[in-house]
Amino acid sequence: MTANVPKAELHCHIEGAASPALAKMQADKYGVDISPIINGNSYVWEDFTSFLEVYDTVAKLFRTREDFCLLAETYLSSLAEDGAIYSEFFISTDHARESGIDPADYVSGLADGIDEARKTTGIEARMIAIGLRHMGPNAVLETARWITANPHPLITGFGMAGDERMYDVPDFLPAHDLARTAGLGISTHAGELCGPASIRHTVEHLKPDRIGHGVRAIEDQGLVELIAEEEIVLEVCPASNVVLEIYPDFASHPLPKLVEAGCQVTLNSDDPPHFSTSLANEYRIAAEHFGYGDQALLEFTTNAIKAAFIDGETRTRLLEKCRLTGLG
Ligand SMILES: [Zn+2]
């Protein structure tokens, strides 16, 4: 029943969106043996640490502007096939450098992929540049400096991902302030591996527009109220949370409680093939495990469009697409 609902996501790491089939194609192109990390149509890893290793191995299979065009185009086309009208994905200039590609070519390649997918499917997309927290405040500041010195019309946001257990939140303020001053929207990961204190620090010090995950806010009622009041949007990724054992099952997942408490929640796939999911599957989970009907599912989409880092005209056009489904 979710098939007819227009979908949108704000939280997906582009290198983590490469399907095993595409990774295999790239591995053949560069003569790399990735058989140890692939089993059929799945990636093989055991815990958060080995997941990050597999992620990095796959990321290094994309090395040229054409490779990144193919990656973005393939991902966005598959999203559009599932009824998605909008996607915001995270890009990492640190991963680009690891792959030996100039960040400017990396950005151009991904932008080419967005343009191609838009031409053939109509899907709209933007990029959010992220710094990696475990690389430290200076590295994240460097990323912000590069992005603000090399602006691109399709890069509309900045934020931070990586290991949330490392470093103190206030140390990352200069990077976030630099990006904010340059007009970028702010979305930062918090409240996934760490509890509510991590989210509170992030909200108080970095003042993000959106939080990646944020689900563990549920452990602090006052924080949930603050998030609802300040209208900080949560990018919730249910399958990712269950596969990474943040929650043992969907029945324990706080998504419905966050919605009931008045938080603005969106549905997202994070690193879809690594968690055996897709954006369509996240909508299915919301329907089957949380009991949402089509109308409520459409609200997740409009939440995402309203919170998207896009210009007013594009927002109006996308909201109109939602309205025209007759569900809203
Ligand atoms: Zn993420």
Side-chain angles (χ1 to χ4, degrees):
M1 74 176 187
T2 60
N4 300 328
V5 179
K7 301 169 184 73
E9 80 175 337
L10 304 176
H11 189 124
C12 174
H13 302 259
I14 194 65
E15 287 88 356
S19 68
L22 180 58
K24 180 85 181 54
M25 217 174 87
Q26 291 295 117
D28 290 346
K29 177 176 173 182
Y30 292 115
V32 180
D33 176 19
I34 57 164
S35 54
I37 62 160
I38 286 188
N39 182 9
N41 202 29
S42 305
Y43 291 112
V44 182
W45 50 264
E46 275 151 26
D47 52 19
F48 196 72
T49 307
S50 62
F51 155 64
L52 289 180
E53 282 166 14
V54 170
Y55 183 101
D56 288 346
T57 303
V58 174
K60 280 188 201 134
L61 299 171
F62 296 86
R63 301 175 184 182
T64 65
R65 177 169 175 165
E66 290 71 28
D67 290 348
F68 284 101
C69 172
L70 180 66
L71 174 59
E73 186 189 0
T74 308
Y75 178 61
L76 293 173
S77 301
S78 74
L79 269 187
E81 221 167 273
D82 284 342
I85 58 171
Y86 185 71
S87 161
E88 242 163 61
F89 58 78
F90 297 119
I91 67 168
S92 160
T93 50
D94 295 299
H95 279 91
R97 288 196 181 89
E98 281 286 305
S99 276
I101 181 172
D102 187 301
D105 292 331
Y106 168 75
V107 168
S108 301
L110 292 167
D112 291 344
I114 292 176
D115 290 341
E116 288 302 318
R118 187 195 297 110
K119 253 186 260 165
T120 50
T121 69
I123 193 167
E124 194 53 77
R126 295 291 185 272
M127 297 181 265
I128 301 173
I130 48 165
L132 300 173
R133 180 164 172 164
H134 48 264
M135 290 177 69
N138 285 338
V140 175
L141 181 58
E142 267 316 301
T143 302
R145 280 199 183 118
W146 191 89
I147 290 298
T148 51
N150 298 271
H152 189 286
L154 295 179
I155 300 180
T156 54
F158 176 82
M160 190 163 67
D163 196 331
E164 137 179 52
R165 295 166 292 197
M166 295 176 73
Y167 299 100
D168 293 326
V169 170
D171 296 341
F172 295 100
L173 183 60
H176 286 74
D177 272 348
L178 181 61
R180 193 178 357 253
T181 306
L184 298 171
I186 302 292
S187 162
T188 275
H189 284 54
E192 180 190 18
L193 296 177
C194 298
S198 167
I199 304 171
R200 195 178 275 280
H201 285 149
T202 302
V203 168
E204 285 173 357
H205 293 284
L206 304 183
K207 302 200 171 16
D209 303 295
R210 308 191 321 230
I211 290 182
H213 299 286
V215 281
R216 292 192 60 191
I218 204 67
E219 296 162 38
D220 176 347
Q221 193 51 40
L223 178 61
V224 171
E225 283 162 20
L226 179 70
I227 288 170
E229 259 168 43
E230 305 248 322
E231 297 180 356
I232 298 166
V233 173
L234 301 179
E235 303 157 3
V236 178
C237 314
S240 163
N241 294 157
V242 169
V243 173
L244 286 173
E245 299 178 346
I246 312 295
Y247 299 101
D249 49 36
F250 293 117
S252 322
H253 196 283
L255 184 145
K257 286 195 186 121
L258 292 165
V259 173
E260 275 162 38
C263 296
Q264 306 288 311
V265 171
T266 63
L267 292 172
N268 305 274
S269 66
D270 209 3
D271 304 287
H274 291 273
F275 305 134
S276 304
T277 193
S278 63
L279 183 58
N281 190 52
E282 302 294 337
Y283 276 73
R284 233 174 349 252
I285 289 165
E288 287 171 14
H289 293 275
F290 306 140
Y292 293 113
D294 282 358
Q295 182 112 16
L297 292 175
L298 185 66
E299 239 169 84
F300 289 113
T301 306
T302 52
N303 284 349
I305 305 291
K306 286 175 189 164
F309 300 145
I310 40 173
D311 58 278
E313 199 180 304
T314 308
R315 195 184 322 278
T316 304
R317 185 167 56 77
L318 292 169
L319 286 172
E320 183 66 5
K321 273 195 184 185
C322 292
R323 201 182 62 79
L324 288 174
T325 60
L327 300 170

